[in-house]
Amino acid sequence: AAAGESPNLTVLNNLAWQYAANPDPRVRNTKRALQWAQKANAATGSDNPAVLDTLAVAHAAAGQYPKAVQLTERAIRIAETSGNAELVKLLKEHLKLFKAGKPYLDPPPTD
């Protein structure tokens, strides 16, 4: 967990991410993804770019692309302000998908 993040927040965020972005449709659950991501976002005062990204991915998974775009743009502004270039790059890739009306899915595991 990053500095200032409680382990519970990390768990919430990771759970939300799994429900939103898992390549396996049996694991994906947009309703749960949104629930957990909203809890994590509320816990961070809506200013943690990684949590905002998870919430955006959850909204995109639910087909709510305008909301996903809005959240991702907010996350980009915050990440740029804190100088997190790597996260900004990732967020901009997600933003392209959401603007094109596509959800983000993790790549399937290769084994």
Side-chain angles (χ1 to χ4, degrees):
E5 275 186 26
S6 71
N8 290 356
L9 179 62
T10 306
V11 170
L12 273 180
N13 197 49
N14 290 348
L15 255 176
W17 186 270
Q18 279 305 313
Y19 282 132
N22 196 294
D24 185 342
R26 292 166 304 186
V27 176
R28 279 199 310 277
N29 182 323
T30 52
K31 203 170 143 196
R32 283 193 179 152
L34 282 166
Q35 281 173 342
W36 294 117
Q38 282 161 345
K39 278 185 184 165
N41 192 45
T44 57
S46 195
D47 64 3
N48 178 315
V51 173
L52 285 165
D53 182 39
T54 301
L55 185 56
V57 167
H59 275 287
Q64 298 161 358
Y65 297 107
K67 185 70 179 166
V69 166
Q70 189 189 353
L71 289 161
T72 306
E73 285 172 342
R74 177 175 166 78
I76 289 169
R77 283 194 300 274
I78 295 167
E80 280 175 341
T81 305
S82 63
N84 191 337
E86 208 170 294
L87 185 57
V88 169
K89 188 173 166 243
L90 185 76
L91 289 165
K92 285 184 173 173
E93 284 171 23
H94 293 179
L95 185 60
K96 264 189 239 159
L97 282 174
F98 304 155
K99 282 187 169 174
K102 293 179 181 163
Y104 171 83
L105 293 176
D106 281 327
T110 50
D111 51 14

